[in-house]
Amino acid sequence: MTAFLQIQRLRKTYDDVVAIDHVSLDVRKGEFMTFLGPSGSGKSTTLYIVAGFQEPTEGRVLLDGKPLLSVAPNKRNIGMVFQRYTLFPHLTVGENVAFPLRVRGRPDAEIKAKVEKMLKLVHLSECRDRMPAQLSGGQQQRVAIARALAYDPPVLLMDEPLSALDKKLREEIQLELRRIHQETGVTILYVTHDQEEALRLSDRIAVFNKGCIEQVGTGEELYANPASRFVASFIGNSNFLPVKVMKNSGGRMNGVFPNGHEIASDALNPALAAGDEGALMIRPEQMRLSSLQSASGASGTSGTAGLPVTVRDITYLGDAMHYAVATPWQQEISIRMPAAHRHDSGIAIGAQALVDWDARDGRLFALA
Ligand SMILES: Nc1ncnc2c1ncn2[C@@H]1O[C@H](COP(=O)(O)OP(=O)(O)OP(=O)(O)O)[C@@H](O)[C@H]1O
Ligand SMILES: [Mg+2]
């Protein structure tokens, strides 16, 4: 099955600045695809090439199997919503939504019906005759979404559409966006640098770094099996423990931490051989902390048990406890456990404790 939207080896340079470097991506029909990455990583550039606002230096884009880049931007039938509200200030909400239909010369009766339908979709029917200035920021952005969808574009592009809104409003509109996506089945390319937003909204996420896509996958895939240290640190929180590899074959990695503590792990990485330095990643919620007393005799999980640490800080988070602990080599690591564990009286600030984790949960990366 060919993808609905195919982005193939796109490259864009400005003199000696490489904005994006051979970006390729297949997007399925109806998919919610998010571009996630730090500032300057090439997310907007890729989106603007698809929209037709910029021309690539190399590469091509196919929509439904047909070349898109040779089509004039205003003939591409692609909806676009930007970070800042871009409503026409002198037109009512209804006229804003009607605008793309008027430009296309649709009959009045059709426009009227469509405007009603779109305003209903974004839950703003009662605001039809207001001016944009009489709406909140979140309402204005919903009108922008209604306008972008009014002429049934097969693809909707959104460049950080919620970043100007406060957190509560953002979360509200995220829910609306999910519903609108489900109801319309439109294919969405969505840009954000907020990982929580990406996880909440997307079918799949493309992680951008320095003009390249480092990995594409569902949020779960990226979280569980990050392809690089960059992806691991960009999605979720992680601890990276320095480890010297002693053996890295036969489904088992044996290594040693800087203090001489030996560990075994299922984490393999073909790029690393015996003698190499690497970083073993373990997520905070995959680590367990136990006091010296309660741990005695109860340890022994797959050869990773019992890294001695000093408890530096304890934070109660309602459903969870967060512990900041220092390793023997003075690295601070994070541990997150269900709040029930706070009754382990041996775990107090300044106390010695033991950390362990399951051998299956570690991921091994080359250093930096
Ligand atoms: N007109 C331009 N001239 C020169 N360099 C540019 C131009 N537009 C973008 N760039 C560069 O291309 C790179 C990618 O920019 P882009 O806007 O795609 O990043 P982004 O991922 O959208 O970042 P942000 O999260 O800050 O919006 C950046 O290094 C940027 O400085
Ligand atoms: Mg941008």
Side-chain angles (χ1 to χ4, degrees), residues 87-97 99 130-133 147:
L87 300 180
F88 303 114
H90 56 288
L91 295 181
T92 65
V93 165
E95 281 304 315
N96 263 282
V97 177
F99 185 81
R130 286 204 218 164
M131 303 307 281
R147 186 180 60 182

Side-chain angles (χ1 to χ4, degrees), residues 169-201:
L169 209 48
R170 212 158 57 221
E171 287 175 1
E172 232 174 83
I173 301 190
Q174 283 165 0
L175 287 176
E176 298 239 334
L177 262 179
R178 276 176 69 107
R179 178 183 57 78
I180 290 167
H181 175 242
Q182 280 159 12
E183 282 180 22
T184 60
V186 65
T187 306
I188 297 182
L189 292 190
Y190 189 95
V191 170
T192 183
H193 50 239
D194 177 348
Q195 54 137 328
E196 251 180 62
E197 181 166 291
L199 291 170
R200 201 170 282 155
L201 291 174

Side-chain angles (χ1 to χ4, degrees), residues 36 195-196 198-200 203-207 215-240 281-287 334-336 360-365:
L36 177 69
Q195 54 137 328
E196 251 180 62
L199 291 170
R200 201 170 282 155
D203 293 319
R204 285 190 302 156
I205 299 169
V207 181
Q215 191 174 6
V216 185
T218 64
E220 225 175 316
E221 286 164 356
L222 298 178
Y223 190 81
N225 287 310
S228 65
R229 188 169 170 163
F230 176 83
V231 174
S233 52
F234 210 78
I235 308 241
N237 298 310
S238 351
N239 298 301
F240 294 98
M281 181 202 86
I282 303 130
R283 301 285 188 188
E285 72 278 12
Q286 291 168 335
M287 289 182 147
S334 288
I335 301 171
R336 199 183 164 98
R360 284 169 306 188
D361 289 336
R363 299 287 176 271
L364 184 64
F365 297 107

Side-chain angles (χ1 to χ4, degrees), residues 117-128:
K117 190 175 164 205
M118 284 298 123
L119 288 179
K120 201 166 164 214
L121 179 72
V122 298
H123 294 163
L124 283 176
S125 298
E126 71 288 357
C127 297
R128 190 191 61 198

Side-chain angles (χ1 to χ4, degrees), residues 12-15 17-20 37-48 54 83 159-160 191-193 208 211:
K12 174 78 180 173
T13 56
Y14 298 96
D15 300 320
V17 178
V18 182
I20 54 169
S39 185
S41 59
K43 308 179 297 292
S44 297
T45 302
T46 306
L47 205 69
Y48 292 164
Q54 283 180 2
Q83 174 176 8
D159 194 357
E160 310 213 21
V191 170
T192 183
H193 50 239
F208 277 70

Side-chain angles (χ1 to χ4, degrees), residues 90-339:
H90 56 288
L91 295 181
T92 65
V93 165
E95 281 304 315
N96 263 282
V97 177
F99 185 81
L101 300 166
R102 292 214 188 286
V103 171
R104 286 168 173 76
R106 300 286 175 75
D108 280 351
E110 183 195 323
I111 292 179
K112 187 164 182 292
K114 196 72 199 209
V115 168
E116 295 298 327
K117 190 175 164 205
M118 284 298 123
L119 288 179
K120 201 166 164 214
L121 179 72
V122 298
H123 294 163
L124 283 176
S125 298
E126 71 288 357
C127 297
R128 190 191 61 198
D129 298 323
R130 286 204 218 164
M131 303 307 281
Q134 296 169 304
L135 300 178
S136 72
Q139 288 171 328
Q140 289 186 45
Q141 224 35 351
R142 274 148 62 193
V143 176
I145 293 166
R147 186 180 60 182
L149 289 172
Y151 54 95
D152 297 317
V155 180
L156 179 63
L157 308 179
M158 308 181 92
D159 194 357
E160 310 213 21
L162 309 184
S163 60
L165 307 177
D166 67 50
K167 187 172 156 63
K168 189 166 174 297
L169 209 48
R170 212 158 57 221
E171 287 175 1
E172 232 174 83
I173 301 190
Q174 283 165 0
L175 287 176
E176 298 239 334
L177 262 179
R178 276 176 69 107
R179 178 183 57 78
I180 290 167
H181 175 242
Q182 280 159 12
E183 282 180 22
T184 60
V186 65
T187 306
I188 297 182
L189 292 190
Y190 189 95
V191 170
T192 183
H193 50 239
D194 177 348
Q195 54 137 328
E196 251 180 62
E197 181 166 291
L199 291 170
R200 201 170 282 155
L201 291 174
S202 323
D203 293 319
R204 285 190 302 156
I205 299 169
V207 181
F208 277 70
N209 185 26
K210 297 181 183 154
C212 298
I213 294 180
E214 290 231 351
Q215 191 174 6
V216 185
T218 64
E220 225 175 316
E221 286 164 356
L222 298 178
Y223 190 81
N225 287 310
S228 65
R229 188 169 170 163
F230 176 83
V231 174
S233 52
F234 210 78
I235 308 241
N237 298 310
S238 351
N239 298 301
F240 294 98
L241 306 176
V243 63
K244 183 164 173 145
V245 177
M246 300 191 302
K247 176 175 165 288
N248 185 29
S249 60
R252 199 99 176 134
M253 189 275 285
N254 293 88
V256 58
F257 286 140
N259 67 327
H261 190 98
E262 289 185 12
I263 52 133
S265 175
D266 294 354
L268 291 179
N269 183 332
L272 290 171
D276 286 345
E277 305 278 340
L280 185 68
M281 181 202 86
I282 303 130
R283 301 285 188 188
E285 72 278 12
Q286 291 168 335
M287 289 182 147
R288 290 177 297 268
L289 187 65
S290 41
S291 60
L292 290 173
Q293 310 88 286
S294 68
S296 57
S299 64
T301 45
S302 313
T304 58
L307 178 68
V309 293
T310 308
V311 179
R312 288 243 178 103
D313 200 11
I314 304 176
T315 316
Y316 175 64
L317 298 171
D319 57 338
M321 298 297 293
H322 178 264
Y323 302 94
V325 305
T327 64
W329 58 94
Q330 299 307 315
Q331 177 186 1
E332 190 160 299
I333 59 179
S334 288
I335 301 171
R336 199 183 164 98
M337 298 207 297

